[in-house]
Amino acid sequence: MTTNLADALGVALGGLAQKRGLIPRLPDGDRLLADAAVWLTGEYPDAVRSTHQRTLPGGEATLAVDLHPAVAPLVLTAADEGRVTASAVTGVAGPGYHRFVGRILERLASELAIDWTEGDGATAFVDRPGAETLYLGWLGPQLARARAGVRRGERSVPLGMPVGTRVATEAGIATVMGPRDEAWLDAAIADPRVALEMTPWWADATDAAYLLNRALVLMWLEVRWRTPAMEGEADLFDEIHRLLSRAYPLDPGLPYPWHAWTELTALRGIDDPMARQAAARAAHEPEPDPPVGYRRDPVTISHEGWTLEISGSYAERRSAEEWWGGGAGRSITLAATTTGTAEGRPMSAGAFIEQFAADLGPDAINHRAGEILGRARLMTDASSGVEVGILEGYAAVSGSGAAIRIEFDDPPDWQWAIDTWRSLAPG
């Protein structure tokens, strides 16, 4: 099938696994994808950031392969009867990434005996000129939509940004390579190749520009600009330093983020020749405005139709059921769902509150903001040996409800907890 270039550019293939081995047998779905994960991490150790395999209800296995921080993972599925699919969104990362995914799937088919028989092979395995044409065809409508938002007076209009998080910037446009202003957008509309500077992986080669851009995407989107504290944060800092350290000898003339690089190595406690080189260069370079990193400022997260503004420094975890974020003695857990009645109509906000928040007691705090109804209670919990403050709260509109739990170590933070609960809004 062919993707709608106005919305997404990507790869979608289907096929059949073949029997293999000295005694030919068809591998089950879990085995096939486990073999795929081993092969991918062995063949592409510098590109594969992580793999995550699980079994879906019904027995189908799925493997998510994180290949670039600008886009969602490549997803492979496999069923025990041999049915295999591959899907990846590639547009945001660029034609180099699109071609890279095609090469991976071509080699994977040969290595694991998969016949790709369905989908748009011409798009998946396109040549270089074709990949550029596809990318520019995707980019044009994205630029037009962004300009329409800016002309309506919107700020921080996302252009190819990951879903689920909205960043704050004074600029008109937010891209994975940093903010851009209206003048840049107008120039890019006139000539889409101007927009190639927001394309992390333009060329087929994994050269210095590719390494630098990969690091910049991570710095803009993922780094919390504080000392690494949560699982995986130190590894992220190390990954960025490694990418920049590899890029510099290949092309010292590229515009490296000297100040952000120096800040990152100081926070991580890295002291090696490249860290000292970055610090020396930063001392003689003007500081950029704004500094690299969206998460220096608050961000707005969305979960199941609800939005919440949080500190950009918060660590986060997501699942289908809950979003969690926290740091510095504060944490928030959010769950939300669509709601309905037995007759199939949307449940009213009042009915949701009465059903789920009825046991909050006589000291519960009520809240109304337009169509939003809410109820919450404050309490303390010393079961862990240390007393912490807790807010349990609910918010609802017609057809949707949210539950939130906020924990805080510092007693004066009770007002912050109430304000955070009250800021829940449908989005």
Side-chain angles (χ1 to χ4, degrees):
M1 59 186 170
T2 307
T3 55
N4 181 351
L5 296 184
D7 297 320
L9 171 61
V11 171
L13 296 174
L16 294 172
Q18 306 300 306
K19 294 181 179 180
R20 56 185 181 165
L22 292 176
I23 301 175
R25 294 187 178 91
L26 186 66
D28 63 32
D30 283 321
R31 173 60 184 274
L32 181 70
L33 295 188
D35 291 347
V38 170
W39 181 81
L40 285 164
T41 53
E43 289 293 306
Y44 301 99
D46 293 332
V48 176
R49 302 186 69 222
S50 66
T51 62
H52 179 66
Q53 184 172 342
R54 63 193 181 100
T55 302
L56 300 173
E60 186 178 59
T62 180
L63 175 69
V65 186
D66 186 357
L67 295 169
H68 197 280
V71 288
L74 162 69
V75 176
L76 302 171
T77 69
D80 292 346
E81 64 271 19
R83 165 76 176 167
V84 183
T85 68
S87 62
V89 173
T90 62
V92 176
Y97 178 71
H98 185 95
R99 296 252 298 154
F100 178 66
V101 170
R103 289 195 299 274
I104 282 181
L105 295 178
E106 198 169 36
R107 294 191 62 202
L108 189 69
S110 176
E111 181 70 21
L112 299 184
I114 300 170
D115 285 342
W116 298 121
T117 57
E118 301 174 18
D120 189 353
T123 295
F125 309 119
V126 69
D127 60 14
R128 178 65 204 186
E132 293 185 16
T133 299
L134 288 170
Y135 177 73
L136 294 173
W138 167 83
L139 181 60
Q142 304 300 316
L143 294 170
R145 290 179 182 181
R147 183 164 67 175
V150 170
R151 287 181 172 176
R152 289 192 298 268
E154 299 176 17
R155 312 303 297 171
S156 305
V157 176
L159 178 56
M161 292 286 282
V163 298
T165 303
R166 182 78 178 254
V167 302
T169 172
E170 290 301 313
I173 304 297
T175 83
V176 298
M177 295 283 286
R180 300 292 188 270
D181 60 21
E182 290 92 331
W184 176 90
L185 182 58
D186 289 340
I189 290 283
D191 179 4
R193 288 184 178 270
V194 170
L196 299 188
E197 67 175 45
M198 59 151 272
T199 306
W201 195 342
W202 174 258
D204 285 351
T206 52
D207 54 8
Y210 154 81
L211 294 168
L212 170 59
N213 289 347
R214 190 176 175 111
L216 283 170
V217 172
L218 290 169
M219 295 170 96
W220 277 108
L221 298 184
E222 296 191 18
V223 171
R224 278 68 169 167
W225 295 92
R226 52 168 172 72
T227 303
M230 304 297 290
E231 182 180 358
E233 291 181 345
D235 292 339
L236 172 63
F237 281 39
D238 292 342
E239 179 182 1
I240 293 168
H241 181 61
R242 187 166 56 249
L243 288 166
L244 294 172
S245 298
R246 288 174 55 202
Y248 182 76
L250 298 176
D251 191 345
L254 292 176
Y256 291 91
W258 300 113
H259 288 273
W261 189 356
T262 298
E263 182 180 358
L264 183 142
T265 56
L267 289 169
R268 178 69 176 102
I270 298 172
D271 183 18
D272 63 14
M274 275 311 312
R276 292 191 288 273
Q277 167 84 328
R281 291 294 297 269
H284 296 91
E285 296 278 349
E287 294 192 24
D289 183 25
V292 174
Y294 288 122
R295 285 186 169 270
R296 299 176 187 276
D297 298 311
V299 299
T300 299
I301 64 95
S302 60
H303 177 72
E304 296 298 316
W306 289 80
T307 65
L308 186 69
E309 185 177 275
I310 62 167
S311 169
S313 67
Y314 279 7
E316 294 181 60
R317 294 193 299 267
R318 288 181 183 270
S319 69
E321 294 78 26
E322 293 182 345
W323 171 90
W324 175 92
R330 296 175 171 181
S331 70
I332 306 168
T333 303
L334 174 65
T337 185
T338 57
T339 60
T341 66
E343 295 78 22
R345 294 191 297 270
M347 179 184 288
S348 70
F352 177 88
I353 294 300
E354 290 306 316
Q355 179 174 338
F356 291 95
D359 62 349
L360 294 186
D363 295 327
I365 308 165
N366 292 303
H367 168 62
R368 178 187 288 271
E371 64 175 341
I372 305 170
L373 291 182
R375 186 175 296 168
R377 69 175 173 185
L378 285 165
M379 57 185 179
T380 60
D381 182 0
S383 59
S384 65
V386 178
E387 188 173 67
V388 297
I390 295 173
L391 180 143
E392 291 183 348
Y394 298 87
V397 295
S398 177
S400 183
I404 192 168
R405 179 182 174 90
I406 301 173
E407 299 186 11
F408 49 96
D409 294 346
D410 192 356
D413 277 350
W414 65 267
Q415 187 62 59
W416 162 80
I418 291 175
D419 291 343
T420 299
W421 158 63
R422 287 175 172 165
S423 72
L424 266 175

